[in-house]
Amino acid sequence: MESRVSSLSLSETTHPKSSPSSVSRLWRPAAQRNMKNQWSRLNSLRQEWFSSSSAARSHATSIVNAYMKDMELGVLSDIPDIRGKACMKLLKQQVLHHDKLVSSYKDMVTIVVNMINTSTSLRCFAKGGTNSSIIQFSNSSEDTNDDGDGGGIPVFTFSSISFFEKSASELVQMFKLELYLKRLLVMEFLSLRSKEDPIVKRMCWSDEIYHGESDDLSRCDLDCREASESAPMKLHTRVSNNPLQLISQPDSDILQVYLTAWLTDINIDKNRVEDIFCEVGEEMHVNFVS
C-alpha cells in the first residue's frame, strides 16, 4: 500500500528550521488524518470480505449440487445411461463454478493481505528532519529515532497509537484464521469429482490454488509451499502433506457441514468485530457502518 504523505509548509522567515516542538504540534493532526484513513480502509475491507465470502459460498454450493455421489435417482434409474449423461452435464457446471470459486477465494486472500498492510500503517512518522522548512509526515519510517507514536500522546482524546494497533491486530487475526479455514474448504470443494471425470486429483496443502498464491499467503504468515506443520498449526489442525483426505470422497452430509462451516465464519466473532469498530469510531468521532 502506498504511503499517504501530508505536507505542511512553514514560513522560513518565521520558522527558519523546524523545531522538535513544532514537529510534535503538527504530528497530531497528521496522525489523526492517517488514522481515519486507515480505519476507514479496514472498514471497507471487512465489507469486501463478507461480500466475497458470500459469493464464494454460492459457487461452492453450486459445486456441491453438481456432485452426484450416492445420489438416488428413483424411477429415473431405469432410463439407460441416465447417470452417466447427467454426470457429464453436471461436470461442465462444476468446472465453471470451480473457476468462480477460485476467483472469489483469490479476492479474499487479497483482502486479508490488504488488511495486514493497513493494520501496520497506523503510525505517523516525520520526514525530512528538523532542519527542513517543510515538515512531512508518512506512515513509513526514515528515522530510527522516530517511533511514529508522537511520544505516546493521545491521537484523538484518550487513546494512543498502541490502542489502535492492538485493536487492528485483534481484528486482522480473526480474518487470517478464517482465511486458513476457508482455504481448507476450498481445497475440498475443488477436489470433488465424479467418476466420469478423467482428471481425478485430490489437492495437497502444498498445492497452489491459483498461480502466485504462495507469494500472497506468505504475507499472511501462511506458506503453502512448506511441509505440513507450519501453516495448519495456526488452525490447531493437523494437515499432512498428503492429499486432504480422510475419506475418498465426502458424502452429502459432510458437504453440508462444509457449507455450514463456511457460512458461520467460525473464527470471526462478528459481535467483537462490531465492538472494535464502535470503540475505535467513538474515539475518533467516526461512525463506521457495517
Side-chain angles (χ1 to χ4, degrees):
M1 177 176 292
E2 296 182 359
S3 299
R4 293 184 176 87
V5 179
S6 57
S7 301
L8 300 172
S9 298
L10 304 180
S11 169
E12 292 189 19
T13 56
T14 306
H15 302 282
K17 66 177 181 177
S18 304
S19 66
S21 60
S22 65
V23 173
S24 178
R25 184 177 68 254
L26 294 170
W27 174 87
R28 201 171 185 221
Q32 290 175 351
R33 286 193 296 273
N34 180 60
M35 192 66 69
K36 288 181 178 180
N37 286 338
Q38 304 298 1
W39 273 94
S40 293
R41 177 65 172 151
L42 283 173
N43 187 45
S44 296
L45 288 169
R46 66 148 169 172
Q47 295 174 17
E48 292 175 19
W49 163 277
F50 290 119
S51 176
S52 295
S53 178
S54 177
R57 184 182 185 275
S58 177
H59 301 316
T61 301
S62 296
I63 291 173
V64 170
N65 289 339
Y67 178 60
M68 289 194 66
K69 182 178 185 295
D70 299 329
M71 184 180 293
E72 294 294 335
L73 298 181
V75 296
L76 296 178
S77 60
D78 294 332
I79 301 177
D81 199 28
I82 182 64
R83 181 177 291 274
K85 292 178 180 178
C87 284
M88 290 305 297
K89 191 165 186 177
L90 291 174
L91 176 60
K92 295 179 181 179
Q93 295 182 20
Q94 274 192 326
V95 172
L96 174 63
H97 289 293
H98 281 179
D99 293 341
K100 292 182 177 180
L101 175 59
V102 170
S103 178
S104 294
Y105 166 73
K106 183 178 180 180
D107 290 341
M108 296 169 70
V109 174
T110 300
I111 289 167
V112 173
V113 170
N114 288 336
M115 279 185 167
I116 293 171
N117 291 339
T118 302
S119 68
T120 56
S121 301
L122 301 182
R123 297 194 172 226
C124 188
F125 301 92
K127 296 171 66 71
T130 58
N131 292 323
S132 174
S133 60
I134 298 178
I135 300 177
Q136 295 180 311
F137 293 95
S138 169
N139 50 31
S140 61
S141 175
E142 293 183 350
D143 184 355
T144 56
N145 295 320
D146 183 5
D147 292 330
D149 64 352
I153 66 173
V155 181
F156 293 91
T157 306
F158 301 108
S159 301
S160 65
I161 287 283
S162 62
F163 162 77
F164 295 100
E165 287 183 325
K166 289 177 182 177
S167 297
S169 177
E170 180 183 355
L171 176 75
V172 171
Q173 183 65 14
M174 286 188 274
F175 285 89
K176 284 173 61 177
L177 287 174
E178 188 61 23
L179 177 64
Y180 303 154
L181 177 58
K182 292 286 197 282
R183 184 175 196 266
L184 289 174
L185 294 175
V186 167
M187 296 177 80
E188 283 295 289
F189 292 132
L190 295 180
S191 295
L192 289 179
R193 290 290 192 275
S194 67
K195 63 182 180 181
E196 284 76 12
D197 188 349
I199 303 176
V200 180
K201 180 179 182 295
R202 300 290 291 173
M203 297 190 72
C204 300
W205 179 262
S206 59
D207 292 336
E208 279 197 331
I209 293 178
Y210 62 86
H211 179 69
E213 184 199 16
S214 295
D215 292 335
D216 291 340
L217 292 179
S218 65
R219 301 171 191 172
C220 306
D221 299 324
L222 174 64
D223 192 344
C224 66
R225 293 168 298 188
E226 293 180 358
S228 57
E229 296 293 328
S230 59
M233 283 299 291
K234 293 181 172 63
L235 276 171
H236 307 291
T237 303
R238 290 189 63 85
V239 179
S240 72
N241 205 34
N242 297 318
L244 297 175
Q245 178 178 352
L246 294 178
I247 54 178
S248 58
Q249 290 280 274
D251 60 26
S252 58
D253 290 338
I254 293 177
L255 292 175
Q256 289 304 315
V257 171
Y258 290 168
L259 291 174
T260 301
W262 189 292
L263 178 64
T264 54
D265 291 319
I266 296 172
N267 292 293
I268 299 177
D269 184 341
K270 294 181 180 179
N271 289 331
R272 178 56 187 151
V273 170
E274 292 299 328
D275 287 344
I276 289 174
F277 277 98
C278 182
E279 292 167 3
V280 169
E282 286 180 356
E283 178 68 11
M284 60 177 63
H285 304 292
V286 174
N287 181 24
F288 293 111
V289 179
S290 61

